[in-house]
């Protein structure tokens, strides 16, 4: 559905685009209080920058539903395919795809190939590709992501294991989202 960003959201998106464009190696933090609309603003950023591959990592897998519902409401599968391993999203919720389903879908002529992938920090740190012991998330390690979004950046991300995991993700840009950046 059509949307219109509030002034604070528009300013955050514009400043981030300016930073990513003029200083591509920088990371950006949105210190946005609850109800700011970070998810919608991130989607707007992705659309405006025409990003093709977006990885969202969070320490709170339960918020996957809000990312997914905003995706359905404001973005839709004609622009991006939503990929996730979070079980609550995969239980009969279409068009949320597993990575395997995504790879099958993009083989079809005329199908969208742009991807928003949602991964929990716990899954990421548990993967052998990111310093853990489980054979999973190989595609996350292999891809060159346009954007890494670290949601709830103030929770559980200030550890050695998390630093090791994030260092393994190849990406052009990094956006940290937090309502409590000084915790």
């Amino acid at each position: 559905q059509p949307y219109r960003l509030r002034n604070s959201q528009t300013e955050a998106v514009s400043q981030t685009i300016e930073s990513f464009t003029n200083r591509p190696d920088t990371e950006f933090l949105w210190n946005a209080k609850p109800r700011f609309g970070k998810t919608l603003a991130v989607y707007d950023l992705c659309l405006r920058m025409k990003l093709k591959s977006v990885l969202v990592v969070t320490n709170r897998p339960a918020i996957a539903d809000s990312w997914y519902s905003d995706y359905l409401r404001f973005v839709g599968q004609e622009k991006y395919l939503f990929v996730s391993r979070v079980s609550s999203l995969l239980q009969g919720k279409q068009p949320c795809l597993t990575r395997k389903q995504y790879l099958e879908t993009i083989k079809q002529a005329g199908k969208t190939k742009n991807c928003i992938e949602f991964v929990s920090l716990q899954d990421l740190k548990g993967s052998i590709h990111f310093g853990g012991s489980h054979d999973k998330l190989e595609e996350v390690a292999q891809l060159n992501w346009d954007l890494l979004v670290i949601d709830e950046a103030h929770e559980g991300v200030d550890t050695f294991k998390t630093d090791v995991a994030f260092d393994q993700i190849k990406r052009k840009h990094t956006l940290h989202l937090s309502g409590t950046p000084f915790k």
Side-chain angles (χ1 to χ4, degrees):
Q1 95 185 25
Y3 63 88
R4 183 169 178 217
L5 296 181
R6 294 187 299 271
N7 290 342
S8 57
Q9 292 169 308
T10 300
E11 185 177 336
V13 170
S14 296
Q15 286 179 8
T16 306
I17 291 171
E18 188 272 330
S19 179
F20 287 167
T21 303
N22 296 323
R23 295 172 301 284
D25 294 336
T26 61
E27 297 186 11
F28 210 85
L29 166 66
W30 286 358
N31 170 16
K33 54 187 157 187
R35 311 305 326 146
F36 172 82
K38 293 182 285 268
T39 306
L40 175 58
V42 167
Y43 288 149
D44 188 72
L45 172 72
C46 296
L47 292 167
R48 286 180 50 192
M49 289 189 71
K50 296 180 174 61
L51 303 176
K52 296 185 183 325
S53 58
V54 179
L55 178 64
V56 179
V57 178
T58 185
N59 197 41
R60 284 195 209 170
I63 65 170
D65 283 332
S66 67
W67 279 90
Y68 185 66
S69 63
D70 280 358
Y71 158 80
L72 289 174
R73 189 172 177 194
F74 300 114
V75 180
Q77 62 191 80
E78 61 277 347
K79 296 197 169 92
Y80 287 94
L81 296 172
F82 197 96
V83 178
S84 182
R85 296 172 48 93
V86 176
S87 60
S88 67
L89 286 178
L90 296 173
Q91 294 174 351
K93 293 185 180 178
Q94 293 297 325
C96 184
L97 305 172
T98 64
R99 174 50 65 169
K100 183 178 178 182
Q101 291 169 326
Y102 170 76
L103 293 174
E104 288 301 315
T105 300
I106 64 172
K107 290 178 186 176
Q108 301 170 24
K111 285 290 186 176
T112 299
K113 293 179 178 35
N114 297 341
C115 170
I116 295 169
E117 186 154 351
F118 190 92
V119 175
S120 78
L121 183 58
Q122 295 87 337
D123 262 355
L124 191 72
K125 291 192 300 189
S127 165
I128 59 172
H129 305 284
F130 298 98
S133 58
H134 301 283
D135 190 10
K136 58 184 175 182
L137 299 178
E138 181 179 4
E139 79 282 354
V140 174
Q142 290 178 346
L143 289 172
N144 288 313
W145 298 92
D146 288 332
L147 177 64
L148 167 63
V149 177
I150 303 170
D151 196 12
E152 304 297 341
H154 57 282
E155 292 184 354
V157 296
D158 196 19
T159 68
F160 177 74
K161 280 186 83 171
T162 303
D163 289 343
V164 168
F166 285 150
D167 286 346
Q168 302 303 311
I169 298 173
K170 296 178 286 263
R171 77 272 195 178
K172 293 179 186 172
H173 309 292
T174 304
L175 176 61
H176 301 265
L177 306 178
S178 179
T180 317
F182 303 110
K183 184 174 180 183

